[in-house]
Amino acid sequence: MADFIVGAVEYLSKFIFFIIAVLVISPVLTWVERKQSAVMQDRIGANRAEILGLRMLGLFHALADSLKLFTKEYFVPKGADRLIFHLAPCISIFFAVMGFAVIPHADTLIISGQPVEMQIVNLNIGLLYFFAVLGMAVYGVVLGAWASNNNYALLGGLRASAQMISYEVSIGISLVGIILVYQSVDLMEITRAQGDLLFGFLPKWGIFLQPLAFFIFMAAGIAETKRIPFDAPEGESEIVGYFIEYSGMGFGMYFLTDFLETILIACLTVTFFLGGWQAPFIDGWILQTFSDSTFLGIFQLNNFILTIVQFLAFVFKVCLVIFMMMTIRWTLPRFRYDQIMNLGWKMLLPLSLFNIVVTAIIVYFIG
Amino acid sequence: MNVHDKYKPLTWWEKTYLPAIISGVLLTFGHFRRNMVNHIKKAIGMKPKVSGAVTFQYPEVRRPFWPRLRTLHRLVRREDGSPRCVGCMMCETVCPAHCIYIVAEERPENQIEKQPRIFDIDLGKCIFCGYCVEACPEDAIRMDTGIVEISAYTRNDMMIRRDQLLSLEPKKEYYTERPDLEGKPVL
Ligand code: SF4
Ligand code: SF4
């Protein structure tokens, strides 16, 4: 019985994280995107979708969008490779969703005396898994472009694959610094290692230990999401990209993938550089203030509250990073294609290599 | 000479795009912060000095028109309700879009010879240049009805006929002397 409860609570908590991350935030993100850009540009933003006279600041537009996408015709162009054409958006979204499996969203929760890791899958090679998932993400794009039997789509797919592969290199190499500093590829361990204090007051977060890697990771991460300023693969407004032949929910899935990848990159940025679920200074206070008496029969009171606070801290940080990414997205114009390649290969790659060398030397002499 | 030669080459620091990105983000974030503060002030009942957005909620709130704005045409009536137009075809001749079709007829009394029997304007072709108003010797056609929502399902329905044109009234209240001082402040 105890095992059953532990299992149930464990799966429930992971399920809640997944639901919040994927199914709640991503539609809300379309609203955030509309409203934030509107406020930035002195506008009001979409606010006309209403249910029974209720407008809710335009929140229903997410609903209207998805309704529209679901009810539109799913058109398959003549000469398309039907199997791959149907499969490609699924592949694309599949790998974006898979990425969330290794994100730790709180510290260990103790249920009936048993520790439960607040991570959907507790992989000790989480970081490598993340690289693998990221590397597969390009397949959905390229296959979709190729299967639609359209030269414009194919060109978009080529741009996408070149861009995503180039920036994956920088992402990978910039994270080597993180591995060097925290001596682990387990995301849970990396987050835990960020709990200590540096010089007694500064949290030992990645952004303080690896500021250069942070910038490289952010830039390359935004490029991975294929959104403005790196939206040369899509270029909806004029150069048309890899999903030009997709309509209805096929397009919707690519669209969702973009948003999911934004959330994923934000989650990873938080995990690697902003201390993940760490809530510095509050955690010690919570552990002292509340007793470790039993709570609801299976939890420990202070551990339970700490887990909730950590989860909220994680969500808060993710929202902050998403806000930053949206601000960049609504500020910058698109980079030209050669600028994207130059930035990737001539700027970010040497910088990330430089970062490794410096980090390695420092870690060798100090650590 | 290469076109690009007139620009200074970018310095190393500029080539990282960071200075441009930072100044851009600061600008947009500044707007975001100011507008958000004003929106929140309004939401909690305080009156902000300026509005958080320059938007007019269009169907409910109309933006005042400039006095010179050319809107849908109308034909001016005489006191007895007959058209002031004398069917001189000036407007039809000057119209660059060839969208006015006039067929004149004799007027019952003989001080004025003619009046239009048919006066059609094809609004699907009209470019709202206002030349017809300029050309008219009788000041019989004007563009001050304040109607800008012109749409139809078929091309035929885009034709506006004589009687409709005659029945339209000027809409003074849609126009303003100084639109920049009315309604929302221009940010
Ligand atoms: S506004 Fe210009 S285009 Fe329109 S009817 Fe008059 S002259 Fe012709
Ligand atoms: S509207 Fe004016 S210009 Fe046109 S036919 Fe009549 S009188 Fe002549």
Side-chain angles (χ1 to χ4, degrees), chain A residues 39-40 42 44 48 331 339, chain B residues 24 28 31 35 54-55 57 60:
Chain A
V39 176
M40 274 163 58
D42 305 343
I44 288 182
R48 292 278 158 174
T331 302
Q339 288 172 330
Chain B
T28 45
H31 273 252
N35 293 335
V54 292
T55 311
Q57 298 273 346
E60 294 95 34

Side-chain angles (χ1 to χ4, degrees), chain A residues 36 39-40 42-44 47-48 323 327-328 331-332 335 339 343 347, chain B residues 15-17 21 24-25 28-29 31-32 34-35 53-55 57 60:
Chain A
Q36 189 188 336
V39 176
M40 274 163 58
D42 305 343
R43 296 184 282 113
I44 288 182
N47 64 349
R48 292 278 158 174
F323 176 82
T327 309
I328 291 175
T331 302
L332 301 181
F335 283 121
Q339 288 172 330
L343 188 70
M347 191 61 73
Chain B
K15 265 190 208 156
T16 62
Y17 303 119
I21 290 175
V25 166
T28 45
F29 185 75
H31 273 252
F32 181 85
R34 187 197 62 192
N35 293 335
V54 292
T55 311
Q57 298 273 346
E60 294 95 34

Side-chain angles (χ1 to χ4, degrees), chain A residues 32-235:
Chain A
V32 170
E33 171 143 55
R34 285 197 175 116
K35 282 296 182 184
Q36 189 188 336
S37 61
V39 176
M40 274 163 58
Q41 298 172 349
D42 305 343
R43 296 184 282 113
I44 288 182
N47 64 349
R48 292 278 158 174
E50 59 176 45
I51 297 178
L52 303 174
L54 211 66
R55 282 197 176 157
M56 302 268 294
L57 295 170
L59 262 174
F60 293 133
H61 273 275
L63 211 63
D65 275 346
S66 36
L67 251 177
K68 185 190 88 173
L69 286 174
F70 270 117
T71 49
K72 272 182 114 169
E73 183 188 2
Y74 184 55
F75 183 79
V76 182
K78 206 172 146 195
D81 190 323
R82 297 187 76 91
L83 178 69
I84 299 182
F85 188 83
H86 289 303
L87 213 57
C90 309
I91 295 177
S92 180
I93 205 165
F94 175 72
F95 286 111
V97 172
M98 288 273 282
F100 287 96
V102 289
I103 309 257
H105 47 273
D107 204 355
T108 318
L109 180 67
I110 295 169
I111 308 172
S112 310
Q114 292 183 36
V116 170
E117 300 281 1
M118 289 287 102
Q119 192 180 13
I120 295 178
V121 187
N122 191 9
L123 268 186
N124 56 4
I125 50 157
L127 204 140
L128 303 180
Y129 169 86
F130 156 65
F131 285 150
V133 168
L134 210 62
M136 296 301 283
V138 71
Y139 279 93
V141 171
V142 175
L143 287 179
W146 180 73
S148 33
N149 189 28
N150 178 322
N151 289 340
Y152 292 106
L154 191 59
L155 285 174
L158 285 179
R159 288 196 300 271
S161 53
Q163 173 179 324
M164 290 172 84
I165 291 172
S166 314
Y167 280 83
E168 249 153 52
V169 176
S170 307
I171 287 194
I173 295 180
S174 72
L175 288 184
V176 173
I178 289 287
I179 303 176
L180 283 172
V181 170
Y182 297 117
Q183 315 269 332
S184 173
V185 285
D186 181 347
L187 298 196
M188 202 57 153
E189 290 305 317
I190 290 179
T191 316
R192 257 188 214 123
Q194 297 183 46
D196 307 339
L197 290 184
L198 212 60
F199 316 123
F201 66 95
L202 206 59
K204 204 172 151 196
W205 290 0
I207 188 170
F208 300 120
L209 297 181
Q210 294 277 308
L212 191 57
F214 172 72
F215 281 111
I216 297 167
F217 186 83
M218 275 306 280
I222 294 175
E224 275 302 299
T225 61
K226 305 184 290 296
R227 284 156 58 78
I228 294 172
F230 296 98
D231 74 331
E234 292 171 11

Side-chain angles (χ1 to χ4, degrees), chain A residues 241-291:
Chain A
Y242 56 90
F243 51 46
I244 180 171
E245 291 290 0
Y246 281 90
S247 53
M249 212 42 212
F251 168 76
M253 279 158 99
Y254 275 126
F255 193 64
L256 202 59
T257 308
D258 276 7
F259 280 112
L260 284 178
E261 278 180 347
T262 310
I263 304 172
L264 183 61
I265 294 291
C267 283
L268 289 164
T269 313
V270 168
T271 308
F272 293 132
F273 296 101
L274 297 178
W277 39 256
Q278 298 281 1
F281 314 119
I282 308 178
D283 45 4
W285 177 80
I286 287 174
L287 283 180
Q288 281 166 14
T289 319
F290 298 98
S291 66

